[in-house]
């Protein structure tokens, strides 16, 4: 993992966007959210600040962190949105201190102070067992309810899981099991599960795509993607294992030294107004004590798993060194 991050830093240094030179006076926002959310943010910022030149750029989580790590206060970016907290921890020394910043009323454990006042929790990305009921019916198989159920040989080649080395979704499923079982028992679990896995997908959306195609019956995937497909007519069912729904967190922050009045105004809008819009319409997993949700059929009172250590980059690097599939 360390070698991978060093490589990404080198790539970031070589593949410079030259945004600052070509966009003098611009306010640059790096977004690691999905493209449709990034486009909506750009649209709203254009409407809210018609006199400002604001550019919202989609930059993947790993590349965003690598560029900030190498460029530090000279980063093209003024603001980052939707960056995984483990990567935010990696670049925390390059982030603006937000002490005293007015924030929302978060659920316990997600306050600004818990982030050393360097970034604001943006969202919770959570997962579940996503079941294609028609495929299970075709093979006359029951719906699995627990992680141990997934080890039954009857599900051989009918399960898809994202690869933890390339997917944050895959990593939080991996981390949840390791938190519950410990290293030795957890690794033994994945040795057994691998026998039933059709494929470890590169992206977190991979299992849902395979479910849509009917290539697997069970996907370890993102709840909000499953709900979107259910609302579109897919024969899916969501199952939360007894340990609860595993998840990771993302955050938003300002780059150190980029806190001009104009940047602060844009950051305030993102961290307050667009934050609420995004939670209501796009990313509804609960992070606030009072949170509205406009997405049809989204599960209520979701039981969340014990995800301690999910934001610790050294722990992530250690666990990924142990992953062998």
């Amino acid at each position: 993992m360390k070698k991978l991050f060093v490589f990404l830093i080198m790539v970031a240094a070589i593949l410079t966007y030259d945004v600052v030179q070509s966009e003098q006076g611009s306010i640059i926002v790096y977004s690691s959210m999905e493209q449709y959310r990034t486009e909506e943010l750009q649209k709203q910022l254009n409407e809210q600040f018609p006199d400002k030149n604001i550019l919202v750029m989609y930059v993947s989580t790993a590349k965003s962190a690598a560029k900030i790590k190498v460029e530090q206060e000279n980063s093209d970016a003024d603001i980052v949105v939707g960056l995984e907290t483990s990567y935010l921890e990696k670049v925390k020394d390059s982030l603006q201190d937000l002490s005293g910043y007015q924030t929302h009323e978060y659920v316990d454990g997600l306050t600004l102070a818990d982030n050393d006042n360097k970034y604001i929790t943006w969202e919770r990305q959570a997962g579940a067992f996503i079941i294609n009921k028609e495929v299970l019916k075709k093979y006359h198989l029951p719906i699995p309810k627990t992680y141990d159920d997934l080890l039954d040989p009857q599900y051989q080649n009918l399960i898809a899981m994202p690869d933890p080395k390339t997917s944050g979704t895959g990593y939080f499923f991996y981390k949840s099991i390791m938190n519950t079982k410990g290293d030795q028992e957890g690794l033994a679990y994945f040795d057994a599960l691998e026998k039933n896995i059709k494929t470890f997908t590169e992206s977190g959306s991979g299992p849902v795509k395979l479910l849509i195609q009917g290539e697997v019956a069970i996907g370890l995937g993102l709840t909000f993607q499953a709900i979107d497909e259910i609302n579109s007519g897919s024969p899916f069912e969501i199952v939360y294992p007894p340990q609860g729904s595993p998840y990771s967190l993302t955050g938003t922050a300002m780059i150190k030294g980029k806190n001009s009045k104009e940047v602060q105004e844009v950051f305030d809008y993102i961290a307050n107004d667009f934050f609420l819009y995004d939670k209501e319409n796009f990313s509804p997993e609960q992070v606030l004590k009072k949170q509205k949700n406009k997405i049809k059929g989204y599960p209520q009172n979701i039981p969340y798993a014990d995800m301690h250590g999910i934001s610790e980059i050294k722990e992530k690097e250690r666990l990924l060194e142990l992953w062998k599939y």
Side-chain angles (χ1 to χ4, degrees):
M1 184 66 182
K2 289 182 180 178
K3 291 181 180 179
L4 174 61
F5 198 82
V6 170
F7 173 75
L8 288 169
I9 289 175
M10 293 174 64
V11 171
I14 296 170
L15 300 177
T16 303
Y17 285 103
D18 292 326
V19 175
V20 172
Q21 294 180 4
S22 62
E23 296 286 345
Q24 287 290 340
S26 294
I27 296 173
I28 308 298
V29 181
Y30 282 1
S31 168
S32 296
M33 301 183 294
E34 293 86 357
Q35 191 65 36
Y36 63 92
R37 294 164 71 194
T38 297
E39 291 172 357
E40 179 63 27
L41 175 58
Q42 179 73 74
K43 173 177 173 290
Q44 291 194 22
L45 290 176
N46 289 345
E47 293 171 351
Q48 184 67 22
F49 303 103
D51 298 330
K52 289 183 172 62
N53 187 14
I54 304 169
L55 179 61
V56 183
M57 302 172 56
Y58 171 76
V59 185
S60 67
T61 293
K63 182 176 284 187
S64 179
K67 283 177 63 64
I68 294 168
K69 185 72 175 178
V70 71
E71 295 168 356
Q72 300 180 26
E73 294 180 32
N74 294 319
S75 171
D76 295 342
D78 299 289
I79 298 167
V80 293
V81 181
L83 191 60
E84 273 189 46
T85 53
S86 59
Y87 285 104
L88 283 167
E89 289 290 324
K90 188 86 172 180
V91 301
K92 194 156 58 175
D93 290 344
S94 299
L95 303 180
Q96 184 70 35
D97 188 342
L98 298 176
S99 297
Y101 191 84
Q102 182 66 38
T103 62
H104 305 281
E105 189 176 4
Y106 286 89
V107 298
D108 294 341
L110 299 183
T111 63
L112 179 60
D114 293 322
N115 304 332
D116 294 331
N117 300 308
K118 288 302 184 75
Y119 57 89
I120 294 171
T121 299
W122 180 255
E123 68 185 320
R124 189 197 305 257
Q125 296 180 330
F129 300 171
I130 305 168
I131 312 297
N132 185 319
K133 294 182 290 184
E134 289 186 354
V135 176
L136 280 185
K137 184 177 180 180
K138 173 183 175 182
Y139 291 101
H140 307 289
L141 296 175
I143 293 176
K145 301 294 185 183
T146 70
Y147 283 109
D148 287 343
D149 287 347
L150 300 181
L151 303 183
D152 194 313
Q154 67 185 336
Y155 298 119
Q156 188 174 15
N157 289 325
L158 291 176
I159 303 173
M161 173 182 169
D163 187 336
K165 285 194 171 182
T166 58
S167 163
T169 305
Y171 177 69
F172 67 56
F173 277 104
Y174 178 35
K175 181 69 169 113
S176 179
I177 288 292
M178 300 301 274
N179 280 356
T180 302
K181 296 179 178 290
D183 282 9
Q184 185 173 351
E185 190 178 342
L187 292 172
Y189 174 83
F190 284 105
D191 283 340
L193 180 65
E194 189 270 340
K195 297 174 183 177
N196 284 349
I197 295 288
K198 182 179 180 68
T199 184
F200 289 102
T201 64
E202 184 175 355
S203 71
S205 62
V208 172
K209 292 177 181 178
L210 292 174
L211 286 164
I212 293 169
Q213 296 164 6
E215 294 187 26
V216 297
I218 304 156
L220 304 188
L222 289 162
T223 300
F224 84 89
Q225 291 181 345
I227 292 296
D228 186 53
E229 293 303 324
I230 290 170
N231 288 339
S232 297
S234 294
F236 293 174
E237 181 173 327
I238 292 172
V239 174
Y240 294 111
Q243 292 89 339
S245 173
Y247 65 87
S248 61
L249 301 170
T250 74
T252 183
M254 283 188 287
I255 304 302
K256 185 185 291 184
K258 302 294 189 79
N259 60 327
S260 66
K261 179 182 177 182
E262 289 75 15
V263 172
Q264 286 188 37
E265 288 175 348
V266 173
F267 182 75
D268 283 345
Y269 182 82
I270 292 172
N272 289 288
D273 298 83
F274 189 77
F275 176 89
L276 293 177
Y277 181 91
D278 185 69
K279 302 293 105 36
E280 290 178 13
N281 295 278
F282 296 143
S283 183
E285 296 285 343
Q286 187 174 12
V287 293
L288 302 179
K289 290 183 177 179
K290 297 179 180 179
Q291 185 169 317
K292 295 179 181 179
N293 180 2
K294 295 181 180 179
I295 298 178
K296 177 185 174 183
Y298 211 89
Q300 302 295 311
N301 302 313
I302 296 172
Y304 291 110
D306 170 14
M307 298 304 297
H308 71 268
I310 190 64
S311 298
E312 296 175 8
I313 189 66
K314 289 184 178 179
E315 172 68 357
K316 184 174 184 178
E317 291 171 347
R318 185 187 74 82
L319 288 178
L320 292 183
E321 286 291 335
L322 298 176
W323 183 261
K324 57 184 179 182
Y325 304 107

